Amino acid sequence: MTWTRFLLPLFVLLGCTTRPPDGTVVMGNGIGPFRGLRALPRQLAFTCVTPGCDTTLLVKVQSTVNRRVAIKRVILSKASAEYTLAPSQMAPFILGAAADFGVDVRYTPQAAPSADDLKVLVTYTDASPDESDPDRLEPGELEIPIVRRLVGEPALAITPEKVSFGLVPVGTSKELPVTVRNAGFGNIALALDQADAGHPWVSVALPPMTALVPDAGVPVPVRFSPATRGYYRGDVVIGSSTPAVGEVTFEVEGTSFIDGVIALEPEERAIDFGDVPRRQRRTVTVQLANLGGQSLFVSGVTVRDTSNNVRATLPNAMQNATLMPLTRLPITIELDASMPGLVDATLVIASTDVARPSLEIPIRGTVTEPRLTVNPTTLAWGSVPLGWQVARPVELQNTGFGALTVRRITFVGGTSNLYSLKNVPALPATIATGGRAVVEVEFRADTMATFGGELSIETDDPVNTIVTIPLSATGASCNQGCMVANATPSCMNGTCGIASCNMGYHDTDGMLSNGCECQELGMDPAAFCSMGVYKGVLRDTSSGSAQHTGMIPTPDDVDWIGFYAEDANNVFGDDFDVRINLTASDPNIVMCVYRQRSTARQGLCSMNEATCDIRSYRRDGSLGTDDGADFDIKVYRRANSAPTCTTYSLSMQNG
């Protein structure tokens, strides 16, 4: 619940002389040179400000001119039932030259002090009827501030802090009191604002217009009225509108269950130990509760656990216990993390609860012991042609349980500076259970010699904190070291290169170090329409269809696929409906579809009716017309797009 707080300041207003729009001169309270009235004292300060106080203060209003002054009225700036004004003369009246009169101001507070800015206002003018008199006194109004001196600090308190209603059957109510008091000090009273019961079964009745002086308290009735069978426990919040006073809460508990009801608190979903390092112990305490209105006998508390890592105990090694209504009993659950792995156990509680004689609660957790596994365990480049930079990947895998922290990845002292690290994440880095990370070690062949070294990987693996990987590579001449995968090497002008790729392989990424890395499976359709792959006749009455899978591994590669779509006679309608769809993860692989009407496959590749740069095509027929046609499809890569070793799928259907 949120209450709007209002600040209650102390006001001490000093006088000033202003001229409002109507020409009236507003005079101050006697500070500085002026002609008119002044107040002694300049302000009224009340120190008894709590309900029950009754204080009267006198203010003397004195004329500062040797002229008669007409006092028109003596009033409060705002209406207030807490203040009473009693002038020694009733206005209007004439005040003699340099004379004075008194005003008794009585203050009888009825509630906590409000934030009102109150003043006693004395309105006056010159008593002479001669308006041409140059010494005539200008009309004005004397303001006498009223100040309530607040000292101390209010504080809201409540007793008891918990109200237990016990068993309250459905359809009945029970009422219990709490005491709300001002536990502060000084002369500041606090006002009770409102109460939030938080549940429809609970209601709170605050007394009207309550202002509590320090050490004063008031009883507040709390009612529990359950509408259905159930148990409730929650907080009631009571707040104050007095500035700087917080809210207080107390707990309410009650049940409408007649019989004993077993429960586990704080919840019954699962008991979770989280991550527990191996060879450590951890305990969790939960509360076994009887939420019903009758006593409950607990005959046993056990743990079902195949690993025997988890056990549960009652206080003082009790084997059984009797729980009275709305009482609790702690259960201590201990995990002995002896073996790494997932914790999968069940807490079993047997009781005389009729509806649930056996309460079973899952117990979860992970006994952690991360384990680093590297692949490969050694890195050997063999002979690397001069000028080449070849990277080799190292996979780091967490084959244990719990997060693995990679702290450092460095080269051991003495490792050649021709080795360097690539794609290393920001360290320390975390690898989850079963997770993987890959870093690369690059060798730069600058010299014809053999170079060694070691890569060091430091983690929080408790068994192998540091794992090392031996490194070896040899810088060689082109004739000695030019070996490219799936290709015929070339040493033209002493530079290692690729003369040609082996059949079915392509150098898609343009990297010499991995040779012709892209393998195209199956037959590669010819780059000419007349020599492309023919998929046969697709008849509309039999929903003919065909599929083709291919690859466009180089910028200028083109695949041609063709079929004949037959429009068979159909007396009930026209089934002719050609659909061609291309799918590929590379968005730059597209197709052109060419259509040539004919009564049979001609294979002329006339390139008529071209629809290009698409991935989806459809052509349906018209009843009574032979729509049979040759369809030739060119699959290609958009211009200026980088090739990828990616397959595409082409589906063709008629009908």
Side-chain angles (χ1 to χ4, degrees):
M1 167 178 292
T2 302
W3 286 274
T4 304
R5 306 299 188 187
F6 297 93
L7 191 61
L8 186 62
L10 299 179
F11 294 97
V12 180
L13 302 180
L14 300 180
C16 60
T17 301
T18 60
R19 184 180 295 274
D22 61 0
T24 300
V25 177
V26 179
M27 301 303 296
N29 59 6
I31 300 175
F34 61 90
R35 299 175 71 243
L37 302 180
R38 66 180 176 185
L40 299 173
R42 298 171 182 174
Q43 63 182 15
L44 297 177
F46 291 92
T47 58
C48 188
V49 297
T50 58
C53 292
D54 189 343
T55 307
T56 300
L57 298 179
L58 171 65
V59 59
K60 182 183 291 186
V61 179
Q62 185 179 57
S63 172
T64 63
V65 294
N66 289 320
R67 299 176 64 88
R68 295 197 310 162
V69 179
I71 306 300
K72 300 171 66 176
R73 61 180 182 176
V74 179
I75 61 173
L76 285 171
S77 59
K78 295 180 182 179
S80 174
E82 297 182 323
Y83 291 90
T84 304
L85 300 184
S88 59
Q89 300 183 60
M90 297 302 297
F93 64 89
I94 302 298
L95 183 66
D100 60 56
F101 69 96
V103 180
D104 285 328
V105 182
R106 182 183 180 188
Y107 178 40
T108 56
Q110 300 172 8
S114 65
D116 291 340
D117 178 15
L118 282 175
K119 304 179 184 69
V120 176
L121 303 179
V122 181
T123 307
Y124 63 91
T125 187
D126 196 295
S128 172
D130 184 5
E131 295 185 1
S132 63
D133 186 348
D135 295 328
R136 182 179 179 84
L137 181 66
E138 292 288 343
E141 188 173 75
L142 175 66
E143 297 180 351
I144 307 169
I146 297 176
V147 178
R148 286 148 294 190
R149 295 202 182 277
L150 304 180
V151 295
E153 181 178 337
L156 196 59
I158 194 163
T159 54
E161 296 181 353
K162 179 177 180 180
V163 177
S164 182
F165 286 92
L167 173 62
V168 181
V170 175
T172 65
S173 296
K174 186 175 181 179
E175 188 174 280
L176 294 173
V178 296
T179 299
V180 181
R181 55 185 293 270
N182 183 352
F185 64 94
N187 67 353
I188 305 178
L190 60 82
L192 298 183
D193 185 1
Q194 55 181 313
D196 182 6
H199 195 275
W201 291 4
V202 182
S203 59
V204 180
L206 289 179
M209 297 297 292
T210 301
L212 302 178
V213 299
D215 294 327
V218 62
V220 175
V222 184
R223 182 178 293 272
F224 182 65
S225 307
T228 60
R229 292 182 71 252
Y231 164 82
Y232 174 73
R233 183 171 69 175
D235 288 337
V236 175
V237 182
I238 295 180
S240 170
S241 59
T242 303
V245 175
E247 58 191 29
V248 291
T249 63
F250 64 95
E251 185 180 278
V252 170
E253 181 182 41
T255 184
S256 60
F257 288 123
I258 303 298
D259 299 323
V261 176
I262 195 72
L264 200 68
E265 295 175 342
E267 61 182 20
E268 294 186 4
R269 297 177 188 172
I271 298 169
D272 195 347
F273 281 95
D275 290 344
V276 182
R278 187 184 179 188
R279 300 182 183 88
Q280 290 190 14
R281 294 176 182 267
R282 182 170 295 176
T283 60
V284 171
T285 300
V286 294
Q287 297 291 325
L288 185 61
N290 177 8
L291 305 184
Q294 302 294 330
S295 61
L296 188 71
F297 180 68
V298 179
S299 58
V301 176
T302 58
V303 173
R304 209 163 48 229
D305 177 26
T306 56
S307 67
N308 294 321
N309 284 343
V310 185
R311 65 190 186 97
T313 57
L314 293 172
N316 303 319
M318 293 189 306
Q319 299 300 312
N320 51 59
T322 298
L323 286 177
M324 301 305 291
L326 302 185
T327 59
R328 274 89 180 161
L329 185 68
I331 301 177
T332 301
I333 304 168
E334 183 181 53
L335 171 62
D336 183 2
S338 58
M339 293 297 295
L342 298 177
V343 177
D344 186 8
T346 304
L347 176 65
V348 181
I349 302 169
S351 71
T352 55
D353 186 328
V354 176
R356 196 164 46 167
S358 179
L359 179 61
E360 297 189 359
I361 307 298
I363 300 174
R364 300 288 181 260
T366 302
V367 178
T368 62
E369 187 178 63
R371 180 82 67 230
L372 173 64
T373 300
V374 298
N375 184 36
T377 56
T378 61
L379 283 178
W381 279 257
S383 296
V384 180
L386 290 180
W388 276 35
Q389 296 179 8
V390 182
R392 293 278 191 268
V394 178
E395 181 185 76
L396 314 180
Q397 182 180 4
N398 180 4
T399 55
F401 292 92
L404 175 74
T405 301
V406 182
R407 296 168 177 163
R408 292 184 194 82
I409 302 177
T410 57
F411 292 112
V412 176
T415 299
S416 170
N417 60 7
L418 297 180
Y419 294 103
S420 61
L421 288 168
K422 298 180 62 179
N423 301 324
V424 178
L427 299 179
T430 300
I431 303 176
T433 301
R436 291 174 166 82
V438 176
V439 298
E440 291 183 328
V441 181
E442 184 178 79
F443 173 70
R444 186 179 73 254
D446 284 355
T447 307
M448 293 177 58
T450 299
F451 302 92
E454 280 187 308
L455 178 68
S456 172
I457 303 171
E458 182 181 348
T459 68
D460 62 351
D461 181 334
V463 178
N464 296 304
T465 304
I466 297 178
V467 174
T468 58
I469 301 176
L471 313 173
S472 65
T474 300
S477 66
C478 180
N479 291 329
Q480 293 174 327
C482 188
M483 298 179 62
V484 287
N486 310 312
T488 300
S490 169
C491 279
M492 185 176 295
N493 298 324
T495 302
C496 184
I498 297 175
S500 62
C501 289
N502 295 344
M503 182 66 68
Y505 288 88
H506 304 273
D507 180 17
T508 300
D509 61 8
M511 295 176 59
L512 291 175
S513 57
N514 59 5
C516 298
E517 83 293 345
C518 184
Q519 183 180 12
E520 185 173 11
L521 301 177
M523 184 184 69
D524 183 20
F528 302 99
C529 174
S530 58
M531 300 174 63
V533 174
Y534 177 58
K535 293 294 182 178
V537 178
L538 305 185
R539 185 173 286 107
D540 59 350
T541 54
S542 58
S543 297
S545 63
Q547 306 289 327
H548 179 78
T549 301
M551 183 180 290
I552 308 295
T554 59
D556 56 354
D557 188 24
V558 173
D559 288 354
W560 283 93
I561 302 96
F563 66 92
Y564 178 74
E566 180 180 312
D567 187 6
N569 292 329
N570 191 327
V571 296
F572 298 106
D574 194 350
D575 295 325
F576 189 85
D577 188 5
V578 173
R579 284 160 290 169
I580 305 171
N581 290 292
L582 173 68
T583 58
S585 59
D586 187 340
N588 292 307
I589 298 177
V590 291
M591 65 179 177
C592 281
V593 177
Y594 302 91
R595 176 178 177 268
Q596 174 65 46
R597 293 186 60 177
S598 62
T599 57
R601 173 70 175 175
Q602 301 293 325
L604 299 177
C605 293
S606 57
M607 304 294 119
N608 291 334
E609 297 186 26
T611 306
C612 293
D613 205 31
I614 59 172
R615 283 199 166 194
S616 180
Y617 174 91
R618 184 174 185 178
R619 179 67 182 241
D620 56 5
S622 56
L623 185 62
T625 302
D626 187 354
D627 295 298
D630 274 334
F631 286 88
D632 294 299
I633 306 162
K634 180 178 73 171
V635 182
Y636 63 99
R637 180 178 297 280
R638 289 193 177 107
N640 301 320
S641 64
T644 58
C645 190
T646 303
T647 59
Y648 68 84
S649 295
L650 189 69
S651 65
M652 298 150 279
Q653 186 173 348
N654 182 18

